[in-house]
């Protein structure tokens, strides 16, 4: 089954690995994620979602794998994205209670993939 969600992963290493996140007013901290459109690759969807949700231009650097969310039933494709501009905050190094629980699970998957 193909991934139906694409997640843009933007990392920064300042002695500790940080990941780009945004705070949804009702649902806590989240990664940039959205639906893969028909005929669109998950890498292209990740880049598009990053532009739509955060106004950040990027290129898909590498595929970080797929994760099945047992909570929602969606399959997420993670793509590390490279950006040329300075990154805005928040970039987080550790998931806290401010993170939405689905994204905490996704971060656990990414921790194993990226490190």
């Amino acid at each position: 089954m193909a991934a139906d969600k694409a997640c843009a992963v933007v990392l920064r290493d300042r002695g500790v690995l940080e990941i780009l996140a945004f705070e949804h007013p009702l649902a806590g901290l989240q990664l940039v994620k959205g639906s893969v459109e028909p005929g669109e690759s998950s890498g292209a969807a990740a880049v598009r979602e990053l532009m739509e949700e955060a106004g950040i231009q990027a290129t898909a650097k590498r595929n970080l794998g797929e994760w099945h969310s047992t909570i929602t039933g969606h399959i997420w494709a993670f793509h590390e994205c490279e950006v040329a501009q300075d990154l805005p905050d928040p970039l987080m190094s550790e998931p806290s209670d401010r993170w939405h629980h689905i994204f905490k699970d996704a971060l656990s998957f990414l921790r194993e993939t990226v490190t």
Side-chain angles (χ1 to χ4, degrees):
M1 189 165 163
D4 57 343
K5 299 292 180 187
C7 186
V9 178
V10 180
L11 302 171
R12 177 170 66 188
D13 190 352
R14 290 190 172 170
V16 66
L17 194 60
E18 298 176 320
I19 190 166
L20 179 69
F22 71 95
E23 190 155 10
H24 187 280
L26 302 175
L29 288 169
Q30 301 182 7
L31 301 172
V32 173
K33 173 190 71 70
S35 295
V36 178
E37 300 294 333
E40 182 180 44
S41 72
S42 60
V47 168
R48 176 182 51 75
E49 289 292 337
L50 190 57
M51 177 54 96
E52 288 177 2
E53 292 187 11
I56 297 173
Q57 288 187 313
T59 55
K61 182 176 169 183
R62 68 179 169 137
N63 183 339
L64 297 174
E66 293 182 351
W67 172 71
H68 181 257
S69 170
T70 56
I71 296 170
T72 66
H74 293 289
I75 297 174
W76 297 20
F78 293 94
H79 293 274
E80 183 177 357
C81 294
E82 188 171 65
V83 300
Q85 66 201 71
D86 288 336
L87 295 173
D89 287 329
L91 274 94
M92 304 292 173
S93 57
E94 292 295 327
S96 68
D97 290 339
R98 293 175 50 211
W99 281 88
H100 189 281
H101 65 278
I102 292 173
F103 290 91
K104 280 186 179 180
D105 292 345
L107 286 169
S108 293
F109 169 83
L110 281 173
R111 184 180 305 276
E112 294 174 15
T113 304
V114 173
T115 55

